[in-house]
Each structure stands twice: as C-alpha cells, then as structure tokens.
Amino acid sequence: MAVVRVIGRDGSKQDLDVANGGQLMDALRDASTGVQGTCGGMMSCGTCHVYVDPSWVDRLPPKSEDESAMLEAIGELVELKPTSRLSCQIAVDDDIEGLCVEIAPPV
Ligand code: FES
C-alpha cells in the first residue's frame, strides 16, 4: 500500500491509498481523476499521461524506449515536460509512498 498525492486538472489535491501489485494508472482511473487508460496499459494510447513531481523523477525506474516513444507521439497534442510519465508504467509498491503526480491534459 502506498499513499499517492494526486493533483487534478482543476488544481485539486487528493491522497489516494493505492494497493501494491498493480499499476498507478488503474488507481488513477478508478478514482475518476481523468486518467482513462484506454489501452489497458499497453503503451498505445497515452491517456494515462501524468507529470511526476520533480523530486520523484530520479526515484522511479527510468522510462523504457517504448514509453518514451509513446510520450513523443502524444507530444503533438499535449505539453510534454521532463517529468512526463505514463502512469501505466509506474508499478505500485511501498517504494512509491508519498509520490506526487499531476494529471496531464487529455489527449
Ligand atoms: S494506459 Fe494507454 S499508454 Fe498507459
């Protein structure tokens, strides 16, 4: 279990209790944060895009080539930041306790 702070598109903040063993995308989608996760975590939709708090960028496993390619693909539609990640590629475990993410604009 990890508590993840989520900043919504309207600037609202909420702390989500997220169970270990899944992907952050699932918890964000189920909490109606605006994350859709249309492709189910297959890295082909980009609807799970979040901005990770800068203090967390180096604490998460690095992006894979496929994740980077998907982010690049949606970069024509939404603003990318150095902190952009696909939340379907963030595994939930105790190590992400206190992670803060902002929901990116819809693609
Ligand atoms: S859920 Fe589709 S890219 Fe993450």
Side-chain angles (χ1 to χ4, degrees), residues 27-107:
L28 296 176
R29 182 196 56 212
D30 293 349
S32 301
T33 60
V35 161
Q36 294 180 327
T38 308
C39 74
M42 301 301 290
M43 285 188 285
S44 61
C45 71
T47 63
C48 64
H49 178 206
V50 295
Y51 303 123
V52 172
D53 185 272
S55 67
W56 275 88
V57 169
D58 294 334
R59 297 172 65 182
L60 296 174
K63 287 177 264 196
S64 67
E65 284 186 26
D66 287 342
E67 182 180 355
S68 295
M70 187 66 241
L71 286 167
E72 192 176 315
I74 64 171
E76 297 179 9
L77 305 171
V78 296
E79 180 188 6
L80 292 183
K81 299 180 181 180
T83 60
S84 287
R85 293 295 305 257
L86 297 177
S87 59
C88 68
Q89 300 305 301
I90 299 175
V92 179
D93 57 27
D94 292 344
D95 290 343
I96 68 164
E97 169 69 28
L99 171 66
C100 180
V101 299
E102 178 182 353
I103 308 300
V107 293

